[in-house]
Amino acid sequence: MFKMTRKLQELTNRGQELKIALVGSGKMGTGLVNQISRIKGMTTSIIVEEKLDKAKHALISAGIKPEDIIYTNNKSQAELAMSKKNYVITEDYSLACEMDSIQGVVDATGNPPFGAKLAIESIKNYKHVIMLNVECDAVVGPIIYDMAKKHNVVYTGTAGDEPGAIMELANFAVGAGFKLLAVGKGKNNPLNFYATEDDLRQEALSKGLYPKMLTAFVDGTNTMIELTSVANALGFTPDIPGCHGLTTDIESMAKQFSLKEQGGVLNNYRIVDFCFGIAPGVFAVVTHDTKEVHDLMGYLSMGKGPNYILYRPYHLTSLETPITIYNAIVEKDPTIVPEKGQVSDTITLAKRDLKKGQSLEGIGGKDVYGQIVSHIDQRRKNLLPMGLITKKTKLKVDVKKDQPLTYDMVELEEEQTIIKLRQKQDELGL
């Protein structure tokens, strides 16, 4: 990281600091603004936000003077303000995509349909895209990544988000010469597939979260989506639909995450999963094929083998994102990308009995929850990816509680960018 600091200082000395557009200034976005404000050579020059008071609060909380914050939806006025070292807040996301001085766009919205539109417009305007919106990446990441490569820009998930943290651990393991068997994350919240925002409203507000955001954590959808992004980066799948979700500890994990014939629970290796009992944190299950390495791992108190756990007991969400921003823009090196294609999917199941004709609430809503499956199973059974549900998605039939939804059960909002992207992605086999 001293290399990053040194290079950013060099850019600052030449008057070439990195100018970032942030889209979304909730808890994660505001944390990122504060972190960037203490890094020389990097600036959150523009914030796109529907609620302008939130954007203004994010900047002021980082020490920006109110008189240095300019509101405009006009590109020329925004460029002029930024040239004078002012900060811009706006409702118009096209400014983030089109302004010449912006090098990278950070999506911190968690909104899949909007995220797809933002990513495509950013890439078309040759901006690097840093995705805190894993909800979008999990369903159309492969085709967005393909487009980014063709435009010679970086599309990447972010350090600090659990998929990025898992990928960093996986890179370390493989780079050190180990065989990677499984990866996953600890689950912070109890699992209740049928949780709703009404159940969790007070807890969410006490934590400074939107109720739907907390609901997506508790009902497991967020975990499934994160693991889908990891699976699409590594070429892994869940061992069983929805994963095992073991309750475990560091001492027991290596044995549990071994094959059944080895005394564990797994049918296969090269899988993603999650655990209770080790949160927060991410893990990798590794092994080796030489006796000397096994002997040394025992000497290093890493366990008896043949499997070993590499564990990182934290992930700092958007507070780590500046590392990805720097690597993407300066080094052209992504943190995590879906380079293996759509290997796994988060599909949709009913939280309750649903009626024909009703509009569906998607991620974090009262109607459905997500489950990770292999992409092969998703295609074979025509299952509906969770991230394709929009405000106008309607049911064509009645659906029973816990029943998986298929494409032919719903009317999709066909004009939405994310729907068109997924259709093209499937046609291309990405």
Side-chain angles (χ1 to χ4, degrees):
M1 288 306 101
F2 290 112
K3 175 185 176 182
M4 170 180 162
T5 303
R6 185 173 63 253
K7 283 201 172 182
L8 287 175
Q9 183 62 60
E10 291 171 359
L11 290 173
T12 300
N13 294 342
R14 297 198 298 266
Q16 297 175 345
E17 65 182 4
L18 307 185
K19 291 183 172 62
I20 309 304
L22 171 65
V23 185
S25 54
K27 196 175 187 70
M28 296 301 106
T30 298
L32 176 59
V33 172
N34 277 260
Q35 197 77 326
I36 288 177
S37 72
R38 301 311 191 256
I39 299 174
K40 289 184 178 180
M42 189 181 298
T43 303
T44 310
S45 298
I46 179 169
I47 298 179
V48 181
E49 174 61 69
E50 289 180 336
K51 300 177 181 177
L52 293 172
D53 58 329
K54 289 179 60 180
K56 191 171 184 179
H57 165 74
L59 290 167
I60 292 173
S61 71
I64 308 303
K65 296 178 181 178
E67 57 266 29
D68 292 333
I69 302 171
I70 307 299
Y71 163 68
T72 183
N73 289 328
N74 180 277
K75 180 182 174 182
S76 297
Q77 290 177 356
E79 292 281 13
L80 178 62
M82 287 170 52
S83 70
K84 296 179 179 180
K85 305 295 184 183
N86 293 131
Y87 298 81
V88 174
I89 59 175
T90 182
E91 301 107 333
D92 186 357
Y93 79 92
S94 68
L95 266 64
C97 305
E98 296 174 4
M99 290 173 62
D100 295 335
S101 54
I102 294 295
Q103 294 138 295
V105 177
V106 180
D107 180 357
T109 65
N111 182 322
F114 176 75
K117 184 164 56 174
L118 175 66
I120 294 304
E121 289 303 312
S122 298
I123 290 167
K124 285 180 178 178
N125 284 277
Y126 299 95
K127 311 298 183 191
H128 303 290
V129 177
I130 296 89
M131 291 290 277
L132 275 163
N133 188 348
V134 68
E135 295 87 346
C136 176
D137 177 76
V139 70
V140 290
I143 194 167
I144 297 174
Y145 173 56
D146 185 65
M147 180 177 290
K149 287 190 295 181
K150 291 174 180 175
H151 282 72
N152 199 31
V153 295
V154 172
Y155 166 81
T156 178
T158 173
D161 222 355
E162 282 155 303
I166 290 171
M167 194 65 190
E168 289 172 345
L169 199 56
N171 283 332
F172 167 79
V174 174
F178 291 101
K179 184 178 181 181
L180 189 65
L181 303 178
V183 295
K185 54 164 282 185
K187 192 175 188 311
N188 289 294
N189 310 96
L191 180 61
N192 176 7
F193 296 135
Y194 316 116
T196 69
E197 58 182 313
D198 291 336
D199 301 329
L200 300 169
R201 189 175 308 281
Q202 291 306 313
E203 180 183 353
L205 295 177
S206 71
K207 294 179 177 180
L209 299 173
Y210 291 115
K212 281 190 175 181
M213 179 182 290
L214 182 58
T215 303
F217 292 144
V218 172
D219 72 14
T221 300
N222 181 269
T223 294
M224 300 291 98
I225 287 171
E226 289 174 335
L227 293 178
T228 297
S229 284
V230 176
N232 294 343
L234 292 173
F236 285 14
T237 58
D239 189 44
I240 59 174
C243 302
H244 290 283
L246 303 175
T247 297
T248 188
D249 54 50
I250 295 300
E251 289 71 28
S252 306
M253 286 179 69
K255 183 69 172 180
Q256 289 175 295
F257 279 107
S258 58
L259 297 176
K260 288 178 178 177
E261 55 263 35
Q262 297 173 309
V265 303
L266 299 183
N267 300 294
N268 302 283
Y269 284 134
R270 294 178 58 80
I271 63 103
V272 294
D273 217 304
F274 69 97
C275 295
F276 299 97
I278 63 161
V282 298
F283 66 89
V285 185
V286 302
T287 192
H288 206 274
D289 60 2
T290 70
K291 181 179 182 302
E292 287 298 327
V293 170
H294 284 293
D295 289 346
L296 189 52
M297 290 293 275
Y299 173 75
L300 295 170
S301 301
M302 292 298 291
K304 298 179 180 179
N307 294 352
Y308 308 94
I309 297 297
L310 303 179
Y311 175 59
R312 176 179 163 179
Y314 65 91
H315 67 99
L316 304 183
T317 62
S318 60
L319 302 183
E320 297 182 48
T321 301
I323 298 170
T324 294
I325 293 171
Y326 165 81
N327 283 332
I329 297 174
V330 179
E331 305 293 345
K332 306 299 186 288
D333 183 22
T335 298
I336 178 171
V337 294
E339 62 181 345
K340 301 299 183 181
Q342 198 74 41
V343 179
S344 293
D345 261 304
T346 296
I347 56 97
T348 311
L349 293 87
K351 281 187 178 180
R352 58 195 177 95
D353 290 347
L354 303 172
K355 294 297 183 182
K356 176 182 177 180
Q358 76 173 80
S359 297
L360 288 179
E361 288 189 9
I363 297 169
K366 64 179 179 296
D367 297 327
V368 293
Y369 65 95
Q371 181 184 80
I372 185 173
V373 300
S374 72
H375 182 57
I376 290 174
D377 278 351
Q378 182 271 322
R379 291 300 298 273
R380 180 169 56 87
K381 299 176 182 178
N382 201 34
L383 299 170
L384 177 67
M386 184 82 159
L388 298 185
I389 296 174
T390 63
K391 291 180 179 179
K392 294 182 180 179
T393 302
K394 288 187 177 182
L395 282 175
K396 296 179 180 179
V397 295
D398 293 346
V399 180
K400 293 293 186 183
K401 183 178 180 180
D402 291 321
Q403 184 178 356
L405 274 66
T406 60
Y407 274 100
D408 52 10
M409 291 179 176
V410 297
E411 294 177 7
L412 292 176
E413 200 173 351
E414 297 291 344
E415 66 273 18
Q416 282 277 357
T417 298
I418 196 167
I419 306 297
K420 295 177 181 178
L421 284 177
R422 181 58 188 240
Q423 289 171 343
K424 186 175 181 181
Q425 178 177 291
D426 287 341
E427 289 170 3
L428 294 173
L430 296 175

